[in-house]
């Protein structure tokens, strides 16, 4: 009965039967069954405690006992002396030379990173079986000692090599060494060893991660020829095709699967959301008759990552109504939704729930909180979360560097990056994107160039188009256009749209029409449907009074069917989000807001504010009419509404979907001095903190 319940995974029932069995009826076999059950369910502490109870009650452990308790100990062992003590006990009992016990000792020592001790035990095994070789191989592979693993491969019997090859391939893939993994597959096949159900997921994952679609197709064809089919194989193939942007093929494999488990549905769902196919993801989500917490987590995070913050929040509520208790990853997803919306109050509430439930020490939740507070304009809270995290990974450091950079604290961001290096955290490509952006926003050109150059020379990370676009932005923001042109001419690839966008944006700031026109023409070729190019070029013409050219660009935009994205600003007041468009009269309190803005304008003129009508990008002759048009910008309306509704002393936090104009920026500089309130504005590019007549960007934006 005890063995049966343990084998079926019902450990609690097995233990009940065990406890109800009188001591006089127990024997070593019964204890072995319980210890094995605990070990298989990864409950190492209970396995060790049962072993100790067995010895206290006078039962003599045998080789099966030691093999099981050593397997359980491997789940919880922390110190070398525990390994040595159990090893000594096995030797003393006479079980120390049994192959199964020695195999367990090899695994135990490997788990404790004591590979020399593991190898000594391995070498002492007189009759090595497949488990012996696999245990030692796994120990080497998990520590990344692939050369030692390859040496071990040579003397193995041919019949045992398949498992060893699988361990090596899996190890290579786990460490991102995909080419080495594929080379090992070629070597395996050339030696006459065929792939099995454990090989396919690893090799297909290597192909998917490396974007090697053709190689993945070859593996797919190999499996079809051999008639190999399984859940693991089909699910891996779905992931391969969607990661290589072959959604028709991914869906075809999914639809042809004779039976689907939750892993199958979640794999396709993950593919849709990670590639931005949110419509398809929503339909698939509705199709699913069965969902688990992972399903909800994928969908909530996917909505947030693709900018659907409100839907992410609603789906999180639905998940709870369905009876699912959120895990830390689900909280991470909904916190990301708050970040997208700038929903500070909601974000605080979820943070409080995390602390109450006990997930506040979660790495994923902590990283999400850093980003959420940063995107809600409260960089001090983001920094506090980072400092109080029990441990940080590269994602944590990247999030803090990005937060500081977005808020204009470029020097601090650079300081955090240097501290990260001192802590031994190796920067990745995301790290360099964040630190280059921070340098760009703070005007740290030389420091930014130094970091860019170190990517390849120090860290062997080849810069991508996104890194080059950050470098171009860095140079153009400082007016160093000749250097930016030189970088573009020396690119190891054709300049991408984001590189020309960075150049055009810099030209707009400095009025460099000649270079700006070149960049715009390139963008018209690459992304003719993107409204930003037309608006930037049109605005450049308008700013210099070239109204005919500006009208020509806008006509070209209309002729091509490109629609301008409407400027929209929003503010959260008592957990309710209020949205405003340019010249908005739809809000119930619009009239009161405009009257208040006019009064503020009069007061600000006394302090020296003069509306900058250069930012009226329409051909209007009357200067008074131009000033009236400036006052109706959406961010001004949102800030005024916040001043009317939020209690004195509360910071005003406004979010805008597009970049703010120069007049609005100047307006808020004066306004923060007049009303003596902190004003935080997040636009498409960065954060601006206005306080006492100054902005955190130092007018470098």
């Amino acid at each position: 009965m005890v063995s049966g319940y343990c084998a079926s995974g019902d450990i609690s029932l097995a233990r009940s039967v065990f406890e109800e069995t009188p001591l006089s009826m127990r024997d070593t076999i019964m204890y072995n069954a319980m210890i094995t059950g605990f070990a298989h369910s990864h409950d190492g502490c209970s396995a060790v405690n049962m072993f100790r109870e067995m010895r206290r009650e006078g039962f003599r452990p045998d080789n099966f006992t030691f093999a099981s308790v050593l397997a359980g100990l491997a789940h919880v062992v922390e110190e070398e002396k525990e390994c040595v003590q159990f090893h000594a006990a096995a030797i003393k009992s006479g079980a120390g030379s049994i192959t199964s016990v020695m195999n367990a000792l090899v695994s135990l020592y490997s788990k404790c990173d004591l590979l020399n001790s593991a190898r000594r035990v391995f070498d002492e095994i007189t009759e090595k079986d497949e488990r012996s070789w696999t245990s030692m191989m796994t120990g080497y592979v998990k520590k990344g000692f692939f050369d030692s693993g390859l040496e071990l491969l040579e003397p193995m019997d041919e019949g045992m090599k398949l498992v060893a090859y699988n361990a090596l391939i899996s190890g290579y893939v786990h460490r991102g060494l995909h080419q080495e993994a594929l080379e090992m597959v070629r070597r395996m096949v050339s030696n006459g060893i065929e792939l099995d159900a454990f090989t396919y997921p690893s090799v297909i994952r290597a192909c998917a991660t490396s974007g090697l679609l053709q190689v993945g197709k070859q593996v797919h064809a190999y499996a079809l020829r051999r008639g190999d089919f399984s859940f693991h194989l089909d699910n891996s193939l779905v992931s391969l095709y969607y990661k290589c942007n072959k959604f028709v093929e991914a869906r075809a494999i999914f639809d042809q699967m004779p039976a689907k488990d939750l892993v199958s549905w979640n794999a396709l769902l993950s593919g849709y959301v990670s590639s931005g196919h949110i419509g398809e993801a929503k339909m698939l989500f509705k199709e699913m008759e069965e969902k688990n917490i992972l399903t909800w987590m994928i969908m909530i995070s996917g909505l947030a990552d693709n900018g659907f913050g409100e839907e992410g929040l609603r789906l999180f509520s639905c998940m709870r109504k369905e009876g699912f208790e959120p895990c830390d990853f689900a909280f991470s997803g909904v916190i990301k939704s708050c970040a997208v919306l700038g929903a500070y109050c909601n974000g605080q509430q979820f943070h409080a729930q995390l602390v109450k439930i006990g997930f506040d020490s979660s790495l994923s939740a902590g990283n999400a909180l850093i980003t959420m507070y940063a995107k809600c304009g409260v960089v001090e809270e983001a920094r506090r979360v980072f400092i109080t995290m029990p441990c940080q990974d590269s994602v944590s450091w990247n999030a803090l560097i990005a937060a500081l950079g977005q808020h204009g604290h470029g020097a601090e961001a650079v300081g955090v990056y240097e501290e990260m290096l001192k802590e031994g955290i190796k920067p990745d490509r995301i790290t360099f994107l964040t630190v280059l952006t921070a340098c760009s926003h703070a005007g740290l050109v030389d420091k930014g160039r130094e970091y860019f150059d170190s990517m390849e020379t120090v860290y062997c990370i080849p810069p991508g188009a996104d890194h080059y676009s950050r470098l171009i932005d860095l140079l153009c923001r400082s007016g160093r256009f000749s250097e930016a042109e030189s970088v573009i001419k020396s690119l190891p690839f054709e300049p991408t749209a984001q590189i020309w966008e960075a150049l055009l944006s810099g030209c707009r700031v400095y009025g460099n029409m000649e270079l700006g026109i070149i960049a715009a023409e390139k963008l018209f070729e690459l992304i003719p449907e993107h409204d930003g190019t037309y608006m930037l070029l049109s605005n450049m013409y308008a700013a210099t009074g070239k109204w005919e050219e500006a009208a020509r660009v806008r006509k070209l935009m209309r002729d091509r069917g490109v629609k301008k994205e409407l400027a929209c600003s929003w503010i959260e007041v008592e957990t309710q989000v209020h949205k405003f468009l340019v010249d908005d009269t739809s809000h119930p309190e619009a009239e009161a807001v405009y009257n208040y803005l006019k009064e503020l304008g009069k007061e600000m003129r006394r302090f020296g504010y003069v509306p900058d009508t250069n930012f009226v990008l329409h051909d209007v002759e009357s200067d008074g009419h131009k000033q009236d048009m400036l006052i109706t910008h959406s961010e001004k309306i949102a800030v005024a509404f916040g001043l009317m509704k939020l209690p004195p002393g509360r910071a005003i936090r406004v979010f805008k979907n597009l970049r703010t104009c120069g007049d609005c920026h100047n307006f808020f500089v004066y306004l923060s001095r007049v009303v003596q309130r902190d004003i935080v504005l997040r636009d498409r590019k960065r954060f601006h903190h206005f306080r006492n007549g100054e902005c955190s960007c130092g007018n470098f934006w």
Side-chain angles (χ1 to χ4, degrees):
M1 289 291 287
V2 171
S3 297
Y5 283 131
C6 286
S8 67
D10 198 337
I11 300 300
S12 59
L13 199 51
R15 182 152 201 166
S16 296
V17 174
F18 178 86
E19 297 293 347
E20 291 170 8
T21 303
L23 188 62
S24 61
M25 294 180 66
R26 296 179 193 173
D27 58 10
T28 300
I29 296 173
M30 182 177 282
Y31 275 100
N32 288 350
M34 281 306 306
I35 294 170
T36 302
F38 286 130
H40 286 171
S41 61
H42 304 284
D43 188 354
C45 290
S46 295
V48 172
N49 289 336
M50 184 62 69
F51 174 79
R52 287 173 177 155
E53 179 187 328
M54 172 185 184
R55 297 186 75 180
R56 279 198 309 270
E57 298 295 346
F59 293 93
R60 183 180 176 82
D62 58 16
N63 55 316
F64 295 105
T65 314
F66 278 103
S68 297
V69 75
L70 290 170
L73 181 63
H75 295 301
V76 295
V77 67
E78 294 181 352
E79 298 180 5
E80 179 181 357
K81 68 177 183 180
E82 293 177 274
C83 300
V84 174
Q85 287 172 353
F86 275 85
H87 190 174
I91 293 172
K92 187 176 179 181
S93 72
S97 59
I98 303 297
T99 300
S100 60
V101 176
M102 297 182 81
N103 290 344
L105 283 166
V106 171
S107 295
L108 178 63
Y109 280 123
S110 298
K111 180 79 173 182
C112 286
D113 297 336
L114 301 169
L115 290 179
N116 289 333
S117 298
R119 185 57 192 255
R120 269 197 305 273
V121 174
F122 173 80
D123 290 338
E124 291 171 1
I125 301 175
T126 54
E127 296 182 9
K128 297 180 178 66
D129 58 14
E130 185 176 292
R131 181 68 180 274
S132 311
W133 294 94
T134 305
S135 298
M136 194 66 245
M137 177 69 78
T138 304
Y140 282 136
V141 167
K142 284 187 175 178
K143 290 299 295 179
F145 296 162
F146 294 106
D147 290 340
S148 299
L150 288 169
E151 288 176 11
L152 203 65
L153 189 65
E154 296 305 321
M156 289 179 66
D157 292 340
E158 290 299 320
M160 299 181 183
K161 284 189 176 180
L162 175 59
V163 177
Y165 271 115
N166 284 342
L168 282 165
I169 293 165
S170 176
Y172 280 130
V173 173
H174 184 71
R175 289 183 173 265
L177 303 170
H178 302 119
Q179 291 298 333
E180 289 83 350
L182 294 174
E183 183 56 41
M184 189 57 57
V185 174
R186 294 187 188 98
R187 177 175 167 181
M188 173 180 167
V189 174
S190 66
N191 287 337
I193 301 173
E194 296 184 332
L195 281 61
D196 69 356
F198 296 99
T199 321
Y200 287 120
S202 294
V203 68
I204 292 173
R205 179 183 167 192
C207 295
T209 307
S210 305
L212 299 173
L213 177 60
Q214 291 306 315
V215 179
K217 283 184 172 181
Q218 290 172 10
V219 177
H220 188 182
Y222 177 92
L224 289 173
R225 284 198 305 272
R226 293 194 58 211
D228 290 338
F229 297 100
S230 68
F231 276 133
H232 294 303
L233 174 57
D234 287 335
N235 293 339
S236 298
L237 287 169
V238 169
S239 297
L240 166 71
Y241 285 110
Y242 82 65
K243 285 184 178 178
C244 294
N245 295 316
K246 299 293 182 181
F247 289 96
V248 174
E249 290 86 344
R251 185 67 199 234
I253 291 170
F254 176 82
D255 290 338
Q256 291 168 12
M257 290 172 67
K260 304 175 183 72
D261 59 3
L262 260 176
V263 176
S264 316
W265 289 90
N266 287 342
L268 187 61
L269 184 68
S270 179
Y272 281 138
V273 299
S274 63
S275 59
H277 290 70
I278 293 299
E280 291 88 340
K282 289 179 182 177
M283 287 190 288
L284 187 71
F285 185 80
K286 288 180 181 177
E287 279 182 53
M288 296 177 67
E289 295 180 1
E290 181 186 358
K291 300 179 180 73
N292 60 8
I293 187 66
L294 179 60
T295 313
W296 292 92
M297 186 186 77
I298 291 170
M299 200 64 207
I300 293 166
S301 293
L303 288 168
D305 290 338
N306 287 279
F308 297 91
E310 289 185 40
E311 291 188 50
L313 286 173
R314 284 199 294 269
L315 196 63
F316 185 82
S317 298
C318 289
M319 179 188 75
R320 292 186 125 171
K321 289 176 183 176
E322 291 287 331
F324 288 92
E325 283 301 317
C327 62
D328 55 336
F329 291 104
F331 270 110
S332 300
V334 76
I335 288 168
K336 283 194 287 185
S337 295
C338 296
V340 170
L341 297 170
Y344 178 54
C345 294
N346 284 331
Q348 281 185 309
Q349 290 171 5
F350 287 122
H351 189 178
Q353 290 176 35
L354 275 172
V355 174
K356 184 178 180 181
I357 295 172
F359 287 152
D360 52 316
S361 61
S362 162
L363 189 59
S364 62
N367 292 339
L369 284 169
I370 294 172
T371 301
M372 184 274 291
Y373 280 122
K375 289 195 173 184
C376 288
V378 197
V379 71
E380 299 82 9
E381 281 296 327
R383 199 195 322 256
R384 190 174 295 115
V385 170
F386 177 85
I387 292 170
T388 56
M389 288 173 69
C391 62
Q392 299 101 357
D393 60 3
S394 60
V395 177
S396 317
W397 289 91
N398 291 348
L400 184 60
I401 294 168
L404 293 167
Q406 287 174 340
H407 287 266
H409 306 302
E412 287 184 62
V414 167
V416 170
Y417 173 72
E418 297 290 348
E419 185 183 345
M420 170 184 171
L421 299 182
K422 290 177 184 175
E423 291 290 328
I425 306 291
K426 189 176 179 181
D428 55 23
R429 64 183 315 278
I430 303 298
T431 312
F432 285 106
L433 288 174
T434 59
V435 77
L436 287 170
T437 301
C439 290
S440 181
H441 286 165
L444 303 172
V445 183
D446 295 333
K447 183 63 74 173
R449 289 224 64 159
E450 176 190 330
Y451 291 145
F452 181 87
D453 293 338
S454 72
M455 286 183 68
E456 273 195 298
T457 58
V458 179
Y459 300 104
C460 301
I461 301 174
D466 43 4
H467 297 100
Y468 277 104
S469 69
R470 299 296 197 284
L471 178 61
I472 299 298
D473 185 64
L474 174 71
L475 295 169
C476 290
R477 281 177 185 269
S478 300
R480 293 161 70 162
F481 291 102
S482 58
E483 290 181 57
E485 283 187 275
S486 298
V487 170
I488 292 174
K489 288 175 182 176
S490 64
L491 286 173
F493 49 82
E494 284 297 313
T496 61
Q498 60 187 146
I499 288 171
W500 291 117
E501 283 178 328
L503 182 63
L504 179 59
S505 182
C507 292
R508 162 76 173 91
V509 174
Y510 284 91
N512 189 332
M513 287 297 305
E514 183 180 352
L515 198 55
I517 291 171
I518 293 172
E521 292 297 335
K522 293 291 185 182
L523 286 166
F524 287 148
E525 294 174 13
L526 292 169
I527 45 172
E529 73 287 350
H530 182 52
D531 67 322
T533 307
Y534 301 89
M535 297 312 303
L536 272 175
L537 184 59
S538 173
N539 293 350
M540 286 176 69
Y541 282 129
T544 55
K546 297 181 178 180
W547 298 110
E548 289 185 9
E549 286 85 349
R552 180 180 58 80
V553 174
R554 287 177 181 266
K555 182 178 183 301
L556 177 65
M557 184 177 177
R558 288 194 300 273
D559 292 344
R560 290 181 174 179
V562 179
K563 293 185 178 180
K564 177 185 180 296
E565 183 180 359
L566 292 176
C568 175
S569 297
W570 62 95
I571 183 171
E572 185 181 12
V573 177
E574 302 300 334
T575 71
Q576 185 177 353
V577 176
H578 296 262
K579 295 180 182 178
F580 300 93
L581 302 177
V582 178
D583 198 21
D584 199 346
T585 57
S586 62
H587 195 278
E589 299 188 57
E591 185 178 352
V593 173
Y594 283 125
N595 290 335
Y596 183 50
L597 272 172
K598 288 176 183 176
E599 293 301 317
L600 287 173
K602 293 176 185 177
E603 184 70 16
M604 286 161 58
R605 283 182 176 84
R606 292 179 49 240
F607 283 81
Y609 166 69
V610 177
D612 190 345
T613 55
N614 288 323
F615 289 94
V616 176
L617 303 172
H618 298 277
D619 191 5
V620 179
E621 292 187 6
S622 166
D623 199 55
H625 190 192
K626 287 183 178 180
Q627 292 184 23
D628 289 340
M629 292 177 73
L630 286 173
I631 207 69
T632 63
H633 284 195
S634 63
E635 57 265 56
K636 289 188 178 115
I637 303 171
V639 168
F641 181 78
L643 289 170
M644 290 170 57
K645 295 297 178 181
L646 292 174
R650 178 88 62 85
I652 309 297
R653 294 186 175 84
V654 168
F655 306 87
K656 186 179 181 183
N657 63 331
L658 303 177
R659 192 177 182 189
T660 191
C661 78
D663 177 70
C664 286
H665 186 274
N666 196 33
F667 182 91
F668 295 138
V669 166
Y670 281 94
L671 182 61
S672 66
R673 184 179 170 195
V674 169
V675 298
Q676 286 298 296
R677 295 275 284 272
D678 286 0
I679 300 170
V680 182
L681 172 66
R682 185 184 94 186
D683 67 9
R684 176 172 280 181
K685 290 288 184 180
R686 63 172 299 158
F687 275 89
H688 298 272
H689 291 249
F690 302 94
R691 176 182 290 175
N692 294 325
E694 294 182 349
C695 179
S696 60
C697 72
N699 292 323
F700 189 85
W701 58 287

